[in-house]
Amino acid sequence: MFAGLKKMLFGSLEMEVSGDTLVSEFENEFLRVFAVPIRVYNLSKEKKIQSGAGGRRASKDALIKDVSTKIVAGKSRKISIKDTEKVGDVEKKIENTLGIGVQIIGSDGKGFADNNKSLKEIKEVKSDDLVSLDVAVNSATDVYSFTKAFEKACGGVSVKVWRLGKTTGKILTGAKGQFAAPEMLLREVSEGNRISQHGIIVINTADKVKTVKKNFAKMYGLGIEVVSSRDGGLADDEVVVKHAKNG
């Protein structure tokens, strides 16, 4: 069972989780304490954490000890989180501290939260602006599948992916850069193959094009360009993504 929570210094909240806690209890308590929904995922057959591509959501009747690599029956662990911490960092902290694979959900309970947003920002964002790609994005996904999923999720907004520099292995854009062929795999165009760490990509279509491009480069190692469907040219960096197809 839970040992309760207490307000910590500098705005942190603390939560204690026992191995005998039900997954449903953990998810409900996390929502009560931190005010954002969360989903718990099963361990792999090899007892490794998986919450991205290929991961399966844990049964609500499962016990935490059965989905954790760190918490056993009769034992408990504590975790403290600040509202200012980013979603991706919080998910990683839960993995490292509690040994549980999780995905934080938008405050309305629909769709995966943006890894680059803080918990505070997730609570404030409008749900209709958040979209997730309907393809498991990882190192085995090809560029064609990714671009089609992006276009579908963003209401017809097209995207292109830059190739990496042959000598540097870094994202190369502009006049010296080349766009990737549809049949190329994302791992071939992801700097440091950072895409392999992610299974689900969430986009805030209310963000400016330049923000989304920066997020993709930082989080996934992908250099992308949003395309205007009006003339086929590159969309203005200052335009929000959901309006990019109009110019």
Side-chain angles (χ1 to χ4, degrees):
M1 297 298 292
F2 288 99
L5 63 124
K6 59 182 179 180
K7 191 76 174 181
M8 304 293 287
L9 293 176
F10 309 115
S12 290
L13 286 171
E14 184 179 83
M15 178 176 164
E16 184 170 354
V17 186
S18 165
D20 301 313
T21 300
L22 291 171
V23 166
S24 58
E25 291 177 324
F26 171 82
E27 291 180 343
N28 290 338
E29 186 72 354
F30 192 95
L31 176 60
R32 185 177 78 83
V33 175
F34 303 111
V36 290
I38 196 169
R39 291 181 186 173
V40 176
Y41 285 77
N42 285 322
L43 298 176
S44 69
K45 292 181 179 179
E46 297 76 26
K47 300 300 180 182
K48 293 183 179 180
I49 294 173
Q50 56 175 11
S51 57
R56 293 188 303 109
R57 189 176 180 183
S59 167
K60 290 184 176 294
D61 296 327
L63 296 177
I64 289 298
K65 69 180 180 64
D66 297 322
V67 297
S68 170
T69 61
K70 295 181 180 289
I71 306 177
V72 298
K75 300 293 183 178
S76 63
R77 282 185 173 236
K78 295 179 181 179
I79 187 167
S80 60
I81 300 171
K82 296 180 181 180
D83 252 7
T84 53
E85 293 184 71
K86 291 184 178 181
V87 168
D89 294 334
V90 171
E91 291 173 346
K92 185 59 66 176
K93 176 185 281 190
I94 293 172
E95 288 186 15
N96 294 337
T97 306
L98 304 179
I100 302 170
V102 299
Q103 289 284 347
I104 292 175
I105 311 301
S107 57
D108 64 337
K110 302 176 182 178
F112 297 97
D114 188 334
N115 283 341
N116 297 296
K117 301 291 184 182
S118 68
L119 294 188
K120 183 178 180 180
E121 290 174 309
I122 291 301
K123 297 172 190 177
E124 298 171 347
V125 72
K126 294 181 180 179
S127 61
D128 290 344
D129 292 333
L130 293 178
V131 297
S132 57
L133 303 192
D134 64 355
V135 62
V137 178
N138 53 47
S139 58
T141 307
D142 60 38
V143 170
Y144 176 81
S145 298
F146 165 72
T147 56
K148 286 300 178 183
F150 189 103
E151 185 175 349
K152 179 180 178 182
C154 296
V157 176
S158 299
V159 69
K160 293 182 177 181
V161 181
W162 290 102
R163 298 184 65 161
L164 301 178
K166 291 182 179 180
T167 56
T168 64
K170 304 289 185 181
I171 295 171
L172 184 62
T173 65
K176 295 184 178 180
Q178 289 182 312
F179 288 116
E183 65 272 14
M184 292 185 72
L185 299 179
L186 290 185
R187 68 167 176 259
E188 299 177 83
V189 293
S190 172
E191 187 176 307
N193 195 20
R194 290 202 291 275
I195 195 67
S196 65
Q197 303 171 28
H198 302 276
I200 298 160
I201 287 182
V202 178
I203 301 166
N204 184 353
T205 58
D207 279 342
K208 292 182 178 180
V209 167
K210 65 179 181 182
T211 300
V212 173
K213 287 165 58 176
K214 181 179 178 180
N215 288 344
F216 266 83
K218 179 180 179 180
M219 292 297 298
Y220 314 117
L222 294 177
I224 66 168
E225 292 289 353
V226 176
V227 180
S228 168
S229 60
R230 174 180 291 180
D231 58 10
L234 303 185
D236 190 318
D237 276 351
E238 297 298 322
V239 174
V240 298
V241 171
K242 60 185 174 182
H243 297 147
K245 66 179 180 179
N246 298 321

